[in-house]
Amino acid sequence: MDRSYQRIDVVEDLISTMTLEEKVGQMNQYTGFWDPTGPLPEGDEAIDKYEHLRSGLVGSMLNVIGAEETRSLQKIVVEESRLGIPLIFGYDVIHGLKTLSPIPLAEAASWDMEAIRKSAALAAREASAVGIHWTFAPMMDISRDARWGRVMEGAGEDPYLGSRVAAARVRGFQGEDLSAPNTIAACAKHFAAYGFAEAGRDYNTVDIGTVTLHNIALPPFKAAVDAGVATVMNGFNVLNGVPVTGDAYLQRDILKGRWGFDGFVVSDWASVGEMITHGFAADGADAAQKAVSAGCDMEMESRMFIRNLRQLVENGIVDEALLDDAVRRILTVKYNLGLFDDPYRYCDEQREANEVFAPAYREVVRDMARKSIVLLKNERNLLPLKQEGQRVAVIGPFIDDDSSPLGSWRKAADDHTAVTLKEGLMPYGNVEWIFEKGLDLLMEERVWTLETKINTTDRSSFPAAIDAAKSADVVLLAMGEHGFQSAEGRSRVNIELPGLQQELIEEILKVNQNVILLLHTGRPLDIVWASENVPAILLVWQLGTESGNAIADVVMGKYNPAGKLPMGFPRHVGQMPLYYNHYNTGRPVNTQNIEDFVFWSHYGDVENDALFPFGHGLSYTTFEYANLNVNASGDVIEIEVEVQNTGNVDGEEVIQLYIRDEVASVVRPVRELKAFDKVSIPAGESEVIQFSLPKASLGFYDGRGEYRFEPGFFQFMVGGSSDTALNTRLEVR
Ligand code: BGC
């Protein structure tokens, strides 16, 4: 029988037999019995979750993993509750389960959609082997503010790159068929605009105009819906005065209406209850009513639905049809996952034993890690290192750290499972390595309140590191931010190198000028001093399990780096928010050309633009661009450019196409990424790269969210970074 008919039968039959209480139960999600990922609601201890499972009052659980654990809870629901509707188990599988890929921001730097898809597919495979059906990923919040700790979890500042990455991740997690045993449901989060938290402070107010909402914040979500994402998570933030969890315009009109999203919406952790704290709902009943009416189908952990929804329907305040719609969506996703065929299909201890942290996965995450690395600067071609005949000092707090490179959001992964930098480099036995940490970044090992635990006093290991640097031909400095300094709840106003690292770099530079900074971070940092004084900088993020091997591949020249920044690096934290696709303003330059003429849009103490802009990234070779041709005679604009590898080694380049719509009814940015292509070009050779852009893709959303294309003059810019100068201007009708 056709599965879609069968599905409608199963789902509709169930809905017609469910009590009101059972419907509310499907809309209720509890965290497991350990390791919560947010504050537990008041009175949590008083709830007997087992009893609720038996009574059909729970539709989903999060933070439960393991074939045995998930089986035992599933068994209660399936065998003891009246209707036996299986649970859907959700978990934050953000960049892998135990075998970790780079943090998502780093992966985005690869601009390699197939690698990103594969990485998500691997995560799905491992997660499904421990009973997980559903990941709360990908996060696709665009952010322009490096102070916000959660930038590590997204794809950076650009809506086009963000949309491509969102779609690739959704396809990776969900595969072709959600009912396959090694695919899991994805969740596009956080709907919407959470990344625009004022001043980069997590959970803070968001107040952006509707043009920015439609053109910048929403496109990745639309791309995820078009890629078939099964679920969406709303968020904690207020958007223009309304908490997004209670925002009907976002959830009902746009997501479920205009975009036709047919999956379900889950709240963020306690975000329904927090509408009371926001001052948007009077009490729990009001919060539940507002969330359900706005289109929130399942509630994560504030108990407003379970405590109030039944009464609200019985009192005629909430229409039961809203519950039916929510339950239909939830049951449909469960059906699509194959849970009605076999609720235990993900609970297989044998598979768990074989497939978790399997050695066979390592090559996939190592490749993803190498592709994520960005070469920011390489004076005197200090990189790659010679494979022999050199004495190299490796200095810094991350040289033998086997946890921090795993990054944040890795709840299920074990500490101490990353390949360290030292382990990655040691196999190159013809280099004379000296390892000296020089300093410990942290006062304690694994701490959640990191800000107070950074080492700002202990310089006792400085002398040994300085001696090592003095005696070496080259110095590798492994410095940056700790893996737990970014992520949820980890905003910072100071994004310079934490602790004593700056001091140590300055000391090292005094004794050796051949320094290469290996920058470990989850966000763009203020590295202005290093950019002016350190000859080479390699951005190595937090690269996951294979970190040390991947860094060694690049440092030793086994792999030619090709990553490009998904988010610009600032000249100063005071520039935040900082983004390449800004408007021109009415006074973009000093037209008077008088040095102390101040009436133009600038700072008195720092340039406007990024230190390293969006799209920037070097290679061990060089590329030259020429012969840009644009033809706009038909419905499709054909763009052609010649790219030559002008260096001595083969290399890959991400060729980026930007446009500028010169005049429109809504002011358009000075540059917008519209397409890119990652190509491999042998040393000395040239390639002609072609892009075909449908004319309609030159359009934009107006303030009401209507998409429009307005004919007129456009500029087309192509190059290896968002600051490329190669430009052609053309009228498009
Ligand atoms: C985060 C979500 C996450 C949820 C469950 C919340 O605090 O904002 O992104 O999925 O917790 O862990």
Side-chain angles (χ1 to χ4, degrees), residues 128 174 176-184 336-338 345-346 351:
S128 59
Q174 298 193 167
E176 295 291 305
D177 175 8
L178 214 46
S179 74
N182 53 6
T183 58
I184 58 178
N336 291 343
L337 280 163
R345 63 205 316 256
Y346 290 70
R351 196 184 145 203

Side-chain angles (χ1 to χ4, degrees), residues 363-430:
E363 216 22 68
V364 176
V365 294
R366 179 169 179 166
D367 192 47
M368 186 72 253
R370 297 190 298 213
K371 288 181 164 146
S372 306
I373 292 175
V374 185
L375 180 61
L376 294 177
K377 182 179 176 193
N378 195 20
E379 268 174 21
R380 292 183 272 126
N381 289 331
L382 272 187
L383 280 170
L385 294 186
K386 294 197 203 87
Q387 303 228 355
E388 55 190 326
Q390 291 207 109
R391 189 171 156 88
V392 180
V394 192
I395 297 170
F398 297 109
I399 64 175
D400 55 6
D401 192 330
D402 53 7
S403 289
S404 176
L406 298 174
S408 206
W409 272 121
R410 51 157 175 108
K411 277 185 68 204
D414 300 315
D415 285 346
H416 310 299
T417 49
V419 175
T420 67
L421 179 61
K422 188 173 179 180
E423 288 164 345
L425 293 172
M426 285 300 278
Y428 294 87
N430 296 331

Side-chain angles (χ1 to χ4, degrees), residues 671-689:
R671 280 169 192 229
E672 294 176 75
L673 181 68
K674 282 289 165 183
F676 61 83
D677 198 2
K678 189 171 187 177
V679 291
S680 172
I681 308 180
E685 292 194 10
S686 285
E687 254 192 55
V688 174
I689 312 299

Side-chain angles (χ1 to χ4, degrees), residues 102 211 549 638 671 697:
V211 172
N549 286 334
E638 304 290 353
R671 280 169 192 229
S697 70

